[in-house]
Amino acid sequence: MLARWCRTLKWKTSFKELASASEQMFVVTAVPDEKKGERLIVLHTVSQEQLEECLAGLAKSDLPALWRPRRDQFVRIETLPYLGTGKLDLAQSSRAGTGNSAHV
């Protein structure tokens, strides 16, 4: 579990730097998959141009290829869902991903 958390933290930090963002613009969530049971997708709020820049930077990063999401795993949403406490709403993120995964 700690190894997964460290990978996620490194990935999130890398993407935040690549997007030159001061706020959260990406969230990883799981959606149902017929073959594997579930798969990961990346919900984001950046423009297509920003995403292309991030993907180009990610390809040049020191992250192992296994940790790099494929282009088809990115799904744009209007806004990331937050709780009243200001924390990211993970349950709503998962529902948003499931609703948008048909576009992936």
Side-chain angles (χ1 to χ4, degrees):
M1 184 64 107
L2 182 58
R4 179 196 274 186
W5 182 82
C6 290
R7 286 194 303 269
T8 302
L9 182 60
K10 185 170 183 176
W11 184 91
K12 283 171 49 177
T13 303
S14 296
F15 247 87
K16 195 170 183 177
E17 290 170 2
L18 289 170
S20 300
S22 59
E23 61 194 52
Q24 185 162 356
M25 302 172 90
F26 301 92
V27 63
V28 177
T29 189
V31 295
D33 183 77
E34 290 180 16
K35 294 179 182 177
K36 298 179 183 179
E38 70 177 10
R39 62 188 168 90
L40 298 179
I41 62 168
V42 182
L43 300 176
H44 67 89
T45 59
V46 299
S47 68
Q48 187 62 33
E49 184 178 299
Q50 288 175 300
L51 181 61
E52 294 300 328
E53 291 174 16
C54 288
L55 290 171
L58 188 62
K60 297 174 187 175
S61 74
D62 65 344
L63 285 176
L66 183 61
W67 294 2
R68 294 183 207 158
R70 294 183 318 271
R71 179 180 307 276
D72 66 347
Q73 291 175 294
F74 287 84
V75 177
R76 186 177 192 298
I77 59 175
E78 288 301 313
T79 59
L80 296 179
Y82 288 93
L83 298 169
T85 59
K87 294 182 179 181
L88 191 62
D89 186 340
L90 299 178
Q92 184 63 31
S93 295
S94 181
R95 286 191 290 277
T98 302
N100 286 301
S101 64
H103 300 97
V104 178

